[in-house]
């Protein structure tokens, strides 16, 4: 299996880029401009028939930006989060979009802005080296060579009387189903991995998501399938 990494090569096939963009939800097209979509499309094209491909993407502000394009599965989101944990990164911002390929396969486009876990120094390696390490770890997880549960953060003791203002709610969609999960809580290392594992354990796929951290508060929104 080839879980690729590295900078995407230029895609000159405008038809490929146009079809790639059209296959994703309108929220994706509203967020990204033509040049950004072209970069994401290049990574998707390089994936080919392999389960996953990782490319480096520019991000605003501090951190490392990566794009993971992968074959969809209920455990995919938690497996990616585990790979990031193993490589010493926390997620500052994340977005996930799902598209259906002509073959009928579902492909996920995950975009992350990463920072080193608390207590770890800033990564001195080039972004492509970081992507390579994450890709190798994800490769091992998807191949069953590495147990993703080992990435679970160790419990941390907190002072007596500590409180987390955590809010969880499900939102009803037009079809009456409670298909959107929103979580707001205080930021802590490994939080997204813990949430992703909870969803995976319930055999729930993440159709689309947006994760953001503002002033030590995490706001997660998951569209579930």
């Amino acid at each position: 299996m080839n879980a690729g990494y590295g900078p995407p090569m230029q895609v000159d096939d405008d038809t490929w880029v146009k079809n790639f963009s059209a296959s994703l939800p309108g929220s994706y097209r509203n967020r990204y401009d033509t040049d950004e979509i072209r970069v994401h499309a290049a990574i998707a094209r390089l994936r080919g028939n392999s389960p996953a491909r990782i490319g480096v993407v520019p991000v605003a502000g501090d951190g490392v930006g990566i794009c993971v394009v992968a074959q969809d599965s209920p455990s995919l989101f938690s497996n990616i989060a585990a790979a990031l944990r193993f490589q010493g990164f926390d997620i500052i911002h994340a977005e996930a979009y799902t598209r259906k390929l002509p073959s009928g396969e579902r492909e996920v486009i995950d975009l992350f802005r990463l920072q080193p876990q608390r207590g770890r120094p800033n990564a001195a390696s080039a972004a492509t080296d970081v992507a390579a390490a994450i890709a190798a770890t994800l490769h091992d997880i998807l191949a069953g060579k590495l147990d993703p549960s080992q990435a679970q953060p160790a419990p941390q003791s907190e002072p007596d009387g500590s409180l987390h203002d955590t809010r969880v709610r499900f939102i009803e969609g037009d079809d009456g189903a409670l298909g959107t999960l929103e979580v707001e809580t205080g930021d802590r290392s490994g939080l997204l991995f813990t949430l992703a594992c909870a969803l995976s354990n319930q055999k729930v796929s993440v159709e689309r998501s947006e994760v953001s951290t503002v002033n030590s508060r995490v706001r997660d929104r998951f569209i579930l399938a």
Side-chain angles (χ1 to χ4, degrees):
M1 180 181 67
N2 175 25
Y5 68 92
M9 64 184 181
Q10 185 68 24
V11 173
D12 294 323
D13 187 346
D14 290 339
T15 300
W16 168 269
V17 176
K18 181 179 179 181
N19 290 341
F20 172 84
S21 177
S23 69
L24 287 158
S27 56
Y28 169 83
R29 294 189 296 275
N30 292 336
R31 183 178 293 270
Y32 294 100
D33 62 29
T34 301
D35 290 340
E36 292 170 318
I37 292 173
R38 187 174 291 275
V39 171
H40 304 159
I43 299 169
R45 194 174 200 180
L46 286 170
R47 180 175 86 85
N49 294 321
S50 64
R53 181 83 189 186
I54 297 179
V56 178
V57 294
V59 292
D62 296 332
V64 176
I66 64 168
C67 174
V68 182
V69 182
Q71 182 178 347
D72 190 23
S73 70
S75 59
L76 176 63
F77 198 60
S78 61
N79 285 338
I80 295 173
L84 298 176
R85 289 284 304 167
F86 278 127
Q87 287 301 319
F89 287 96
D90 280 330
I91 299 166
I92 307 173
H93 183 85
E95 298 165 34
Y97 303 92
T98 304
R99 72 191 193 110
K100 190 173 183 179
L101 304 182
S103 64
E105 173 188 329
R106 286 160 54 90
E107 182 177 73
V108 177
I109 315 299
D110 284 322
L111 297 147
F112 298 97
R113 181 158 68 97
L114 311 174
Q115 68 179 9
Q117 291 169 10
R118 293 172 185 173
R120 289 178 176 257
N122 289 330
S125 304
T128 51
D129 293 335
V130 170
I134 295 170
T137 303
L138 180 59
H139 173 124
D140 287 344
I141 291 173
L142 295 177
K145 298 178 181 179
L146 186 61
D147 182 0
S149 68
Q150 297 302 311
Q152 185 70 42
Q156 298 179 358
S157 60
E158 297 183 350
D160 292 339
S162 296
L163 295 175
H164 289 291
D165 180 14
T166 299
R167 305 176 187 184
V168 179
R169 65 173 180 164
F170 284 90
I171 301 174
E172 183 177 314
D174 294 337
D175 60 356
L178 298 175
T180 299
L181 169 65
E182 289 189 345
V183 180
E184 181 178 347
T185 188
D187 188 23
R188 69 210 78 162
S189 184
L191 174 63
L192 185 59
F193 175 65
T194 301
L195 292 174
C197 286
L199 295 174
S200 177
N201 289 340
Q202 295 301 317
K203 310 299 182 185
V204 174
S205 290
V206 178
E207 181 83 14
R208 194 163 71 252
S209 69
E210 183 168 356
V211 175
S212 60
T213 305
V214 179
N215 297 328
S216 298
R217 291 289 292 175
V218 175
R219 295 180 176 88
D220 298 342
R221 182 181 176 92
F222 303 98
I223 310 298
L224 308 177

